Amino acid sequence: MAKKLISVKVNGRVHEKAVEPRTLLVHFLREELNLTGAHIGCETSHCGACTVDVDGQSVKGCTHLAVQCDGSEVLTVEGLASLAKDGGALHAVQEGFYKEHGLQCGFCTPGMLIRAYRFLQENPNPSEAEIRAGMAGNLCRCTGYQNIVKAVQYAAAKLQQTEKVNA
Amino acid sequence: MNAPTDPKVLERKDALQGLGDSRLRKEDARFIQGKGNYVDDIKLPGMLHMDIVRSPYAHARIKSLDKSAALKVPGVIAVLTADDLKPLKLHWMPTLAGDVAAVLADGKVHFQMQEVAVVIAEDRYAAADGVEAVVVEYEELPVVIDPYAALEPGATVIREDLAGKTEGAHGKRDHPNHIFTWDAGDEAATNAAFAAAPVTVEQHLFYPRVHPCPLETCGCVASFDPVRGELVTYMTSQAPHVVRTVVSLLSGIPESKVRIVSPDIGGGFGNKVGVYPGYVCAIVASIVLGKPVKWIEDRIENISSTAFARDYHMDGEIAATPDGKILGLRVHVIADHGAFDACADPTKFPAGMFHICSGSYDIPAAYCQVKGVYTNKAPGGVAYRCSFRVTEAVYLVERMVDVLAQKLGLDKAEIRRRNFIRKEQFPYKSPFGFEYDSGDYATALEKVLTAVDYPALRAEQAARRADPNSPTLMGIGLVSFTEVVGAGPSKMCDILGVGMFDSCEIRVHPTGSAIARMGTISTGQAHATTYAQIIATELGIPSEVIQVEEGDTSTAPYGLGTYGSRSTPVAGAAIALAARKIHAKAKKIAAHLLEVGENDLDWEIDRFNVKGDPARHKTMKDICWAAYNNVPAGMEMGLEAVHYYDPPNFTYPFGIYLCVVDIDRGTGETKVRRFYALDDCGTRINPMVIEGQIHGGLTEGFAVAMGQQMPFDAQGNLQGNTLMDYFVPTFVETPHWETDHTVTPSPHHPIGAKGVAESPHVGSIPTFTSAVVDAFAHLGVTHMTMPHTSWRVWQQLQASGVAL
């Protein structure tokens, strides 16, 4: 199958690669770029383990072609820590998941984190019901979600606090 | 020793982050940065990809298989079939249940989605193309889906390979589709109790087939090095040492040249205990091709062909007095095991620990019988937090106690109170021969009833029932369960002949940090954190600098793996005892350094003090250093220990769960208003981690009871085998959980801890059913079959004449 040359900016770095048009974004990230944080948990676009941020939107990387991302900016879990607004080693959502025990096996975690990162920009001060609805594209088998809600609440509070300090 | 009160001593204790501390997880740093290492993250030089050609039919002969077109697909390297495995005698493989399972279909397929051939290619896209190009011609055979029909005379024979075999791994077979009949208890005494009893109840209960569906599917990277003659396989295994032994026996490669590595695993839930054909084929392909071969299944393959859970058709009976005292329990089960018996159990227990089904109650006479049956379905049975069929056992007894309460017009809390094994009866010998270690059920029940204000709930329910216009039905579910976890004593329990001990090896370094390895393997339960906490408290070394590793058979001590909530009971015990060996040596070194006798020393958190003169002391850190340069004459240098622990008994955690549901009479939709879960697992190593296990387990229970199922149509097609239909709740559906606990330590366990991780799944499922049925109890309904989906509950609303 003829390959197509694409240029994608991932976590701030431009990658030029030749890919088959049928290559899914999640395979492109995992196989071509070795960014293996994003995972694959289904083939019907339900689980959201492959969630990455493409041009400011949460996207399921298994339901997106790599060639569609030519010229796009992609953020994966590996790039999240560098976006910490308070100069810390971790982004607020990562810190929240750690502090609130929002992960066990860790397989859904990269997708959850990337979704939470975008969700908290869409809705900086969400209610519990809004968090549950806003994160509903991401399945978890370990946590029962309750601590993930707490983790997102932790991150929301932390981001607001950081914003106040920066302002 | 009394708990320390001196603030400086307390500060040292806190610094350890040891036993009982809700310390944050050591695993998290890598997972929250995408630096975990799961099987599909692994890339090896020259690695090829394998994909599987699967059967579209549930039961059919393979008339022909043509791989020529597949071999022409760009990137395809090889196509292997049963004929390629035959010379190696690997077209069939042994199972944990003592049966055999086809690796690649040998002339006939036994269930839909069964493995027929494998394609090896340069990448997964080419492998998928290759699978499409393999042409297989089938001749359909009659299909057997109903296990009762399977046992009828003249039923279609599923396992032609067993023709003439009247004896299976578990005794006599009286029909070609009969696998085993196993029983426990005293049948004569039980029949006598029933004959004499003033009250008897009976109920048929079906526990539907469901699937553990871990978010990461099964997979492996097999790498045979033809130069060294060594096989390394990274795989999603919950029991890598057992797999190494099995692979060595089957391949003829010495165990010392087989290395199985379970890296980070994205959830197991019992799905990753056994060996699947995919692993075997990847290993064979790697041996044949001399290159690493990766196999990663997709979700539909995972749900369709790997270990399912449950599928027990149970007939329960209780004999009792009119005031609700239970006199006898009798149970007959038809167990649907699919086409091959690959049910993961200790070898002597083909129905697992189902005979724990006398529950939390002092029942004088009991008998149970389980009959296993072949059908045209995928193998499995034991998985999904079942603790070896304890899910089914607890569901059975808890449902039956509700049925009895209903018949006698007794409150369901009161009937439990009247039958509980009392605190002073422990250790309690059950009518099935289990010796329950410890428990205090009555106290826990009262705690829960008070917390939810049970009388007020019943009053509200009565008012609602009195109002014919109430748009909802209200149900209250209550379950008081006893678990059995920590398999197990080697006299009773073995996996393929290996006693079910577990192990730990701790090595303390000169500068006071340590590395520890165990024979278990975490799939998210935080062993790296909690195991370090046990050692921290035993040795006075901060858990932060105790590095825990599992899963690599070349480095970790031999163990039986993680399932059946056995890690804390078995490996947890081995850890404490290995640490105590080190502690004893450390004390000798301390006495030598302080020039006193061992009896003159007191242990305090992280140091040995000279009695009456704590200013004279040696810290564990001092001792670590001394162990490498100044030990008593004749003592071996270094500071390390190994312990293999053969448990004297199981541990028996328990719980009291209460659930309130509101059912919409117009739609049949059930809303969980409240779920309160009290668990008692003895000494609590890390309350934060326990809480997380409970939340996850309750959510699974919610999924099983309220939505999950694996229906087959008359042709044997599995329906709903993707996330399009297979119910996995999101944030939105999942209820808010309330948790509570009491502490009743296990007297025989070195730190008093019991397992817990499966309790929430085991206990919650009958709680949901209890609540849903209770909503209809005033209408005479005694039982409703799971899943309690809107459609099914609406049918009950219709049948009971209360649909709006």
Side-chain angles (χ1 to χ4, degrees), chain B residues 384-460:
Chain B
Y384 210 6
R385 272 185 163 117
C386 79
S387 313
F388 303 121
R389 302 287 188 187
V390 180
T391 34
E392 291 89 328
V394 166
Y395 191 84
L396 179 282
V397 67
E398 290 301 309
R399 288 275 60 240
M400 290 312 301
V401 170
D402 276 10
V403 170
L404 176 65
Q406 220 170 321
K407 168 144 184 177
L408 296 175
L410 273 174
D411 179 80
K412 64 168 76 165
E414 178 56 27
I415 198 167
R416 286 172 165 78
R417 228 179 249 132
R418 288 184 192 177
N419 287 287
F420 275 154
I421 301 160
R422 295 185 314 280
K423 187 182 172 181
E424 61 273 16
Q425 285 178 279
F426 294 93
Y428 169 82
K429 190 82 174 259
S430 89
F432 289 114
F434 284 108
E435 189 177 287
Y436 294 15
D437 55 353
S438 62
D440 183 359
Y441 305 147
T443 303
L445 176 69
E446 298 317 316
K447 199 173 183 200
V448 170
L449 296 181
T450 305
V452 301
D453 195 354
Y454 183 69
L457 287 171
R458 283 294 178 206
E460 183 192 346

Side-chain angles (χ1 to χ4, degrees), chain A residues 44-65:
Chain A
T44 49
S45 201
H46 288 87
C47 80
C50 59
T51 304
V52 293
D53 201 87
V54 179
D55 297 330
Q57 284 195 311
S58 296
V59 160
K60 291 184 176 179
C62 75
T63 315
H64 225 66
L65 296 171

Side-chain angles (χ1 to χ4, degrees), chain B residues 116-174:
Chain B
V116 172
V118 294
V119 175
I120 294 98
E122 282 166 1
D123 63 46
R124 69 184 81 217
Y125 284 68
D129 292 342
V131 165
E132 290 299 312
V134 173
V135 180
V136 188
E137 212 183 334
Y138 296 92
E139 178 189 325
E140 281 186 81
L141 295 168
V143 168
V144 183
I145 292 306
D146 176 1
Y148 290 94
L151 291 177
E152 280 170 13
T156 300
V157 176
I158 296 169
R159 291 289 298 278
E160 291 163 358
D161 60 301
L162 301 178
K165 287 195 180 165
T166 54
E167 193 80 24
H170 304 287
K172 286 226 170 324
R173 301 171 61 232
D174 54 27

Side-chain angles (χ1 to χ4, degrees), chain B residues 268-572:
Chain B
F269 310 114
N271 189 233
K272 296 169 178 172
V273 173
V275 170
Y276 296 118
Y279 302 136
V280 177
C281 292
I283 288 170
V284 170
S286 178
I287 292 172
V288 170
L289 299 168
K291 286 185 172 181
V293 174
K294 176 185 276 189
W295 166 64
I296 306 290
E297 69 184 1
D298 61 24
R299 173 60 52 203
I300 188 170
E301 295 175 294
N302 177 253
I303 294 178
S304 307
S305 70
T306 64
F308 72 90
R310 318 301 139 82
D311 221 344
Y312 259 32
H313 301 257
M314 307 185 280
D315 285 297
E317 294 172 88
I318 286 187
T321 63
D323 61 353
K325 182 76 189 92
I326 301 173
L327 302 171
L329 173 76
R330 193 160 56 192
V331 189
H332 288 86
V333 179
I334 294 292
D336 187 339
H337 280 234
F340 316 113
D341 189 6
C343 190
D345 274 319
T347 52
K348 296 184 190 77
F349 296 96
M353 300 296 138
F354 183 76
H355 50 313
I356 195 76
C357 64
S358 54
S360 306
Y361 313 107
D362 186 9
I363 302 178
Y367 174 74
C368 68
Q369 184 198 73
V370 180
K371 202 176 236 204
V373 182
Y374 291 123
T375 56
N376 288 119
K377 302 173 193 173
V382 160
Y384 210 6
R385 272 185 163 117
C386 79
S387 313
F388 303 121
R389 302 287 188 187
V390 180
T391 34
E392 291 89 328
V394 166
Y395 191 84
L396 179 282
V397 67
E398 290 301 309
R399 288 275 60 240
M400 290 312 301
V401 170
D402 276 10
V403 170
L404 176 65
Q406 220 170 321
K407 168 144 184 177
L408 296 175
L410 273 174
D411 179 80
K412 64 168 76 165
E414 178 56 27
I415 198 167
R416 286 172 165 78
R417 228 179 249 132
R418 288 184 192 177
N419 287 287
F420 275 154
I421 301 160
R422 295 185 314 280
K423 187 182 172 181
E424 61 273 16
Q425 285 178 279
F426 294 93
Y428 169 82
K429 190 82 174 259
S430 89
F432 289 114
F434 284 108
E435 189 177 287
Y436 294 15
D437 55 353
S438 62
D440 183 359
Y441 305 147
T443 303
L445 176 69
E446 298 317 316
K447 199 173 183 200
V448 170
L449 296 181
T450 305
V452 301
D453 195 354
Y454 183 69
L457 287 171
R458 283 294 178 206
E460 183 192 346
Q461 185 184 44
R464 184 104 50 107
R465 285 176 177 175
D467 173 9
N469 296 320
S470 169
T472 57
L473 299 181
M474 176 177 167
I476 302 167
L478 179 67
V479 153
S480 44
F481 66 92
T482 298
E483 253 273 31
V484 51
V485 296
S490 61
K491 273 181 294 186
M492 296 167 66
C493 295
D494 68 278
I495 294 290
L496 296 176
V498 182
M500 291 186 75
F501 63 86
D502 224 289
S503 62
C504 168
E505 172 191 290
I506 306 169
R507 185 173 301 159
V508 184
H509 305 317
T511 52
S513 64
I515 181 146
R517 299 187 177 103
M518 296 79 181
T520 47
I521 172 70
S522 176
T523 52
Q525 304 90 329
H527 292 174
T529 301
T530 57
Y531 285 174
Q533 290 180 257
I534 298 173
I535 299 169
T537 294
E538 293 288 340
L539 294 183
I541 296 172
S543 56
E544 192 57 35
V545 297
I546 299 167
Q547 182 75 11
V548 169
E549 295 176 357
E550 303 169 281
D552 187 335
T553 59
S554 287
T555 56
Y558 201 112
L560 276 283
T562 292
Y563 43 82
S565 299
R566 64 187 299 282
S567 300
T568 293
V570 194

Side-chain angles (χ1 to χ4, degrees), chain A residues 85-138:
Chain A
K85 289 236 167 63
D86 63 347
L90 296 172
H91 188 274
V93 294
Q94 292 170 309
E95 194 181 305
F97 274 65
Y98 173 53
K99 298 266 184 175
E100 298 292 347
H101 187 30
L103 63 147
Q104 292 178 26
C105 81
F107 203 73
C108 75
T109 309
M112 288 281 181
L113 289 168
I114 287 291
R115 174 59 198 141
Y117 164 81
R118 179 54 53 195
F119 173 67
L120 288 176
Q121 292 174 59
E122 296 161 2
N123 186 349
N125 191 18
S127 67
E128 173 168 351
E130 286 169 341
I131 292 171
R132 286 184 180 261
M135 301 289 295
N138 292 72

